[in-house]
Amino acid sequence: MSNRFNLSLSRPPSTTSIRLPCRLRPHWKRLLPVAIVAVLVAAAVTAWNTGDWRLNLSPSEPMGIWEVAPITPGTRLRAGEIVTLCPRLPSGYHYGWLEDKNHAMDACADGRAPFLKTIVAGPGDVVHETGHGVIIDGHQLPDSRPLPFTTSKPQVRLPQWRGTVTLKAGRYWAYGAGDPRFSFDSRYWGPFRRARVRGVARPVAVWKYAWTPGIKD
């Protein structure tokens, strides 16, 4: 009896009873992408409401989240800068399709969201535009042929800027470099003043792709 008792004590204790079932093991790696997306969405919504960031859903520039730094008297604007601006649009046209349904805090005076565009010309540059496209200092802008109408129904006639101009001090030309085929930019409303610029934008999390608009009834 004594030997049998000692033999049982010499065996190592079994760990089978304390091993966690597979279904109880944490799967945090699977939840990580969901958590990242949730954080980005929350940040984008908050940033859009405060005006410090911009959630861009227009193909004019790469879609996604942009950080916007307000313009100051010392800000130097150059070709290649991406800015938010509220240009003066030609009168006599309907712009209901530009309405800002999110009511951003930094909305333009007429209630629409500021445009997000690339500066492609500044003071001293010569801009020439015809119905075939835009030429800046002798160089043709890619895909700059203007559209006569909007790409959604009911179709609305778009304003058309035409002519040749040498940009004066404080004047710039805007271009949607993301997908310029469908960008509502200076081709339609001409040069803009520096005073119309709200801020300088930098990409945070963006993507770019060729966009084909769907015509909606």
Side-chain angles (χ1 to χ4, degrees), residues 120-142:
V120 291
D125 291 328
V126 179
V127 180
H128 175 65
E129 181 182 352
T130 69
H132 299 289
V134 179
I135 298 174
I136 297 178
D137 293 336
H139 300 284
Q140 177 90 28
L141 279 178

Side-chain angles (χ1 to χ4, degrees), residues 14-179:
S14 174
T15 59
T16 303
S17 60
I18 63 173
R19 183 176 300 166
L20 289 175
C22 292
R23 65 176 180 275
L24 297 180
R25 293 176 183 173
H27 298 289
W28 60 269
K29 290 184 178 180
R30 297 181 183 178
L31 298 177
L32 185 58
V34 177
I36 292 175
V37 170
V39 170
L40 289 176
V41 170
V45 171
T46 301
W48 171 253
N49 289 332
T50 61
D52 295 330
W53 284 6
R54 169 73 179 265
L55 178 59
N56 177 49
L57 300 178
S58 166
S60 293
E61 299 294 341
M63 297 184 183
I65 302 172
W66 293 75
E67 181 182 11
V68 180
I71 191 172
T72 67
T75 303
R76 297 183 61 186
L77 299 179
R78 307 179 180 87
E81 294 275 15
I82 299 178
V83 297
T84 59
L85 71 154
C86 296
R88 177 174 294 175
L89 302 180
S91 60
Y93 295 86
H94 299 286
Y95 300 108
W97 51 280
L98 292 174
E99 181 183 358
D100 176 25
K101 298 181 180 179
N102 294 319
H103 304 290
M105 292 182 63
D106 63 341
C108 300
D110 58 5
R112 57 184 165 81
F115 294 165
L116 182 67
K117 306 294 178 185
T118 299
I119 294 177
V120 291
D125 291 328
V126 179
V127 180
H128 175 65
E129 181 182 352
T130 69
H132 299 289
V134 179
I135 298 174
I136 297 178
D137 293 336
H139 300 284
Q140 177 90 28
L141 279 178
D143 296 319
S144 60
R145 186 185 184 97
L147 299 174
F149 297 94
T150 58
T151 57
S152 60
K153 287 187 177 182
Q155 288 186 310
V156 176
R157 182 176 293 277
L158 295 169
Q160 306 285 319
W161 191 93
R162 295 289 185 271
T164 302
V165 62
T166 299
L167 298 177
K168 299 179 180 179
R171 299 266 186 152
Y172 302 87
W173 189 271
Y175 179 66
D179 194 342

